[in-house]
């Protein structure tokens, strides 16, 4: 059984790497690269595009508000958190990869799929956070929870800067982006989806490999 404060250095490192692995969702997709591209180019009308993006985020926010208390109770009562994190991370990975197909001036069907992917990505990320946060009290004593949480936040912030730098230097600024991507079809902007998916796969692994989980709880008879 995992007791409070028994995470070990590798366990705490794996837990903090969750923030690093998921930060591109917020930095690259929700804020700096994909959101403006969606509004101005995928939709083709910045005003309408911003409205549609807002609708997608509002739907995601409503779903998160409804799900979070339920998931929080599950995280507190049922035991292992990693299976839930894994399930929601798979949703994030698939949804992020699907953004590659968000072509300029997309037809209605592609636009709808893109919005659904954005909604699923946002929900998956936020629900993953619920279960990741639930792991914190088992990793360090109460007096060290703030420090570990702050370190994870800082690591995530750094991850956002690193991924933004990679995208800008490797794909957005060069006339010839890496891997021969075609700027005419905005592949340099669409790549943030698959890039984010691969980033999550690579860097969420320490959580699953090194961070201890709590056992499934059984009812007393």
């Amino acid at each position: 059984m995992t007791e409070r404060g028994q995470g070990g250095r590798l366990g705490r490192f794996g837990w903090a790497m969750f923030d690093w692995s998921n930060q591109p969702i917020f930095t690259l997709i929700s804020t700096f690269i994909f959101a403006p591209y969606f509004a101005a180019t995928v939709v083709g009308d910045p005003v309408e595009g911003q409205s549609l993006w807002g609708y997608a985020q509002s739907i995601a926010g409503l779903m998160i508000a409804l799900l979070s208390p339920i998931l929080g109770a599950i995280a507190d009562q049922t035991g292992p958190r990693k299976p839930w994190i894994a399930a929601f991370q798979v949703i994030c990975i698939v949804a992020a990869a699907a953004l590659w197909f968000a072509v300029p001036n997309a037809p209605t069907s592609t636009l709808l799929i893109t919005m659904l992917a954005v909604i699923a990505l946002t929900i998956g990320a936020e629900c993953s956070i619920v279960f990741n946060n639930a792991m914190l009290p088992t990793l360090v004593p109460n007096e060290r929870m703030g420090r570990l949480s702050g370190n994870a936040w800082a690591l995530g912030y750094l991850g956002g800067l690193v991924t933004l730098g990679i995208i800008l230097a490797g794909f957005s600024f060069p006339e010839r982006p890496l891997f021969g991507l075609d700027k005419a079809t905005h592949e340099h902007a669409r790549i943030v989806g698959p890039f984010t998916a691969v980033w999550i796969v690579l860097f969420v692994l320490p959580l699953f490999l090194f961070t201890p989980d709590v056992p499934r709880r059984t009812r007393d008879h």
Side-chain angles (χ1 to χ4, degrees):
M1 181 174 180
T2 301
E3 303 291 344
R4 179 181 293 271
Q6 296 301 308
R9 287 187 178 181
L10 275 178
R12 295 190 293 270
F13 168 76
W15 184 85
M17 282 296 289
F18 175 89
D19 281 54
W20 170 280
S21 68
N22 277 249
Q23 189 58 38
I25 296 172
F26 307 103
T27 301
L28 300 181
I29 294 174
S30 297
T31 306
F32 291 110
I33 305 295
F34 191 83
Y37 164 70
F38 174 87
T41 308
V42 176
V43 177
D45 179 343
V47 176
E48 181 183 359
Q50 290 177 6
S51 295
L52 291 176
W53 185 268
Y55 291 145
Q57 293 298 316
S58 296
I59 293 170
L62 177 60
M63 293 299 296
I64 292 164
L66 293 173
L67 288 172
S68 290
I70 300 171
L71 296 176
I74 291 173
D76 289 337
Q77 298 298 324
T78 60
R81 288 77 184 244
K82 285 184 182 181
W84 291 93
I85 296 174
F88 285 116
Q89 290 288 274
V90 168
I91 292 173
C92 291
I93 291 163
V94 173
L99 299 182
W100 171 257
F101 302 102
V103 295
N105 298 307
T108 301
S109 58
T110 302
L111 191 59
L112 178 59
I113 291 171
T114 301
M115 291 181 67
L116 290 174
V118 169
I119 292 169
L121 179 63
T122 305
I123 293 173
E126 294 294 341
C127 290
S128 295
I129 291 171
V130 171
F131 288 94
N132 188 65
N133 288 344
M135 299 180 75
L136 178 59
T138 66
L139 301 177
V140 289
N142 285 340
E143 63 271 15
R144 296 179 59 190
M145 287 173 58
R147 178 179 178 181
L148 178 56
S149 179
N151 288 341
W153 183 89
L155 189 61
Y157 187 84
L158 178 61
L161 293 177
V162 169
T163 54
L164 182 60
I166 291 171
I167 291 297
L168 292 178
F171 300 97
S172 298
F173 292 157
E175 291 186 11
R176 295 184 179 180
L178 294 175
F179 310 121
L181 297 186
D182 183 10
K183 278 197 166 184
T185 56
H186 291 266
E187 290 181 346
H188 64 293
R190 292 154 51 197
I191 193 62
V192 299
F195 176 89
T196 297
V198 172
W199 187 272
I200 294 172
V201 170
L202 290 177
F203 293 112
V204 82
L205 282 177
L207 173 71
F208 293 103
L209 293 176
F210 305 130
T211 306
D213 206 349
V214 296
R216 182 171 299 279
R217 297 177 182 175
T218 57
R219 294 184 179 181
D220 296 329
H221 296 285

